[in-house]
Amino acid sequence: MKLAKRASGLMKAFAVVLSLALPLMFAVSTADARIGGGKSMGSRGSHTFSAPPATSTAPNAARPFDRTMSQPGRPAAGAAAAGRSARPGMGMLGGLAAGFLGAGLLGMLFGGGLFGGLEGLSSIIGLVLQVGLIYLLVRFAMSWWQRRNAPAYAGPTPGPAAQTNARSGLGFGSMSNAAPLEITPSDYETFERLLGDIQAAWSKEEVNTLHTLATPEMVSYFTEDLRANEARGVVNTVSDVKLLQGDLAEAWREGVTDYATVALRYSLIDKTTERASGRIVDGGDQPQEAAEIWTFARRDGGKWELSAIQQT
């Protein structure tokens, strides 16, 4: 009897730990607290649902977008309007799954689980069966979501380079990939400047400045993330941003809008502190490296703006 009570107590404690820890498995790691939060977000015009070509800076395939206003077969809305993503990413599905699983485990703990709790099943085996069933349901839902999105990201068939362009000496390579749209050395200088300016505006939480550096779609995501930081009582600061290597993946024109997708490897100091005390809760003062793919858009010959960030 004592052994059975002890085992039941251990399983209850295990259920509490799981119910608290599992939602964190679906959350974004604070180690990627820099702008974008380590997610892929934004729009690349008609190229939104095709992977950019690999480069020496980013040899791995770019991750599909977690947040985008574009939809397959429809014109991209990212460079023209702001709002909520038209196609939510795994964050929403993951949150629902985590909440479902957590609720089920807590229900088991207090006697009202998915099928009646511990008292209804009257055994530890029943608890294990419930956890296993919920796990399978979550795996099924996540697999369905991945299958649904996978075809949209079939990469284009590689072809011979149509032309090459000289690049600036500010961290970018000497030659580029195929580029129907010519990208000049001054454009590369602008991309490098935007890399630092956008990180600085993010660190100062200057939304108005971000509006001058990125598309309305991107600013809507940045604003959402800044509000989330404020709700948690933290501030993310990125400093000492230095471009180490850059490559042009592709550049093209759609109507009156020019697009340029570049792979960027850069160093930075990324830390998150408490607003009230200034205590560091993540990161630190040691430089680290990040490799991302940024897409810039330019409308009617105007200035370049950040249109998308993709992880590799």
Side-chain angles (χ1 to χ4, degrees):
M1 180 66 70
K2 290 183 178 181
L3 182 60
K5 289 183 177 180
R6 184 174 300 177
S8 177
L10 289 174
M11 292 305 297
K12 287 184 178 181
F14 179 69
V16 171
V17 172
L18 279 179
S19 65
L20 296 175
L22 279 168
L24 299 179
M25 293 171 58
F26 296 93
V28 177
S29 171
T30 56
D32 290 323
R34 63 185 182 276
I35 192 166
K39 291 184 177 180
S40 295
M41 60 179 64
S43 298
R44 299 199 319 125
S46 63
H47 293 203
T48 299
F49 296 98
S50 62
T55 70
S56 59
T57 301
N60 298 324
R63 256 177 38 194
F65 286 104
D66 300 294
R67 293 189 283 186
T68 181
M69 292 182 183
S70 299
Q71 294 184 7
R74 296 184 182 180
R84 302 182 69 85
S85 170
R87 187 166 186 158
M90 281 300 296
M92 178 178 292
L93 180 61
L96 291 174
F100 175 62
L101 184 54
L105 288 171
L106 285 176
M108 296 173 200
L109 175 63
F110 294 108
L114 190 61
F115 299 121
L118 286 171
E119 294 181 0
L121 294 173
S122 303
S123 70
I124 296 175
I125 296 178
L127 172 61
V128 174
L129 289 175
Q130 291 189 59
V131 172
L133 177 58
I134 296 174
Y135 172 77
L136 290 176
L137 289 174
V138 172
R139 285 293 301 272
F140 173 79
M142 295 180 70
S143 297
W144 171 83
W145 183 268
Q146 291 173 351
R147 289 195 303 269
R148 178 186 176 188
N149 286 272
Y153 285 90
T157 303
Q163 65 180 54
T164 57
N165 294 318
R167 300 184 180 186
S168 71
L170 301 177
F172 287 91
S174 58
M175 306 299 284
S176 72
N177 290 334
L181 174 70
E182 181 179 4
I183 301 299
T184 67
S186 64
D187 292 327
Y188 290 114
E189 293 176 10
T190 299
F191 300 155
E192 183 170 10
R193 176 180 55 79
L194 285 172
L195 172 66
D197 290 351
I198 290 172
Q199 301 281 10
W202 161 266
S203 300
K204 297 176 183 178
E205 300 184 333
E206 295 178 346
V207 176
N208 288 338
T209 302
L210 287 171
H211 272 292
T212 68
L213 305 172
T215 63
E217 177 184 8
M218 292 298 287
V219 176
S220 71
Y221 301 144
F222 298 156
T223 302
E224 183 179 342
D225 293 341
L226 288 173
R227 288 175 178 171
N229 284 347
E230 184 178 5
R232 296 198 304 269
V234 299
V235 179
N236 176 240
T237 304
V238 177
S239 59
D240 292 348
V241 178
K242 297 178 182 177
L243 179 65
L244 303 177
Q245 183 178 345
D247 283 302
L248 177 68
E250 56 184 342
W252 70 101
R253 176 170 294 160
E254 295 181 18
V256 297
T257 303
D258 299 335
Y259 290 92
T261 296
V262 296
L264 304 171
R265 183 172 64 86
Y266 58 96
S267 64
L268 73 161
I269 294 177
D270 182 3
K271 62 182 177 182
T272 302
T273 58
E274 288 183 346
R275 289 180 180 270
S277 65
R279 181 179 65 89
I280 297 177
V281 296
D282 187 68
D285 295 321
Q286 295 300 316
Q288 55 184 277
E289 288 190 12
E292 297 174 323
I293 299 175
W294 286 32
T295 296
F296 300 92
R298 176 176 61 187
R299 184 177 177 83
D300 287 327
K303 60 185 181 65
W304 288 106
E305 295 179 327
L306 177 63
S307 178
I309 296 177
Q310 287 176 275
Q311 306 302 317
T312 60

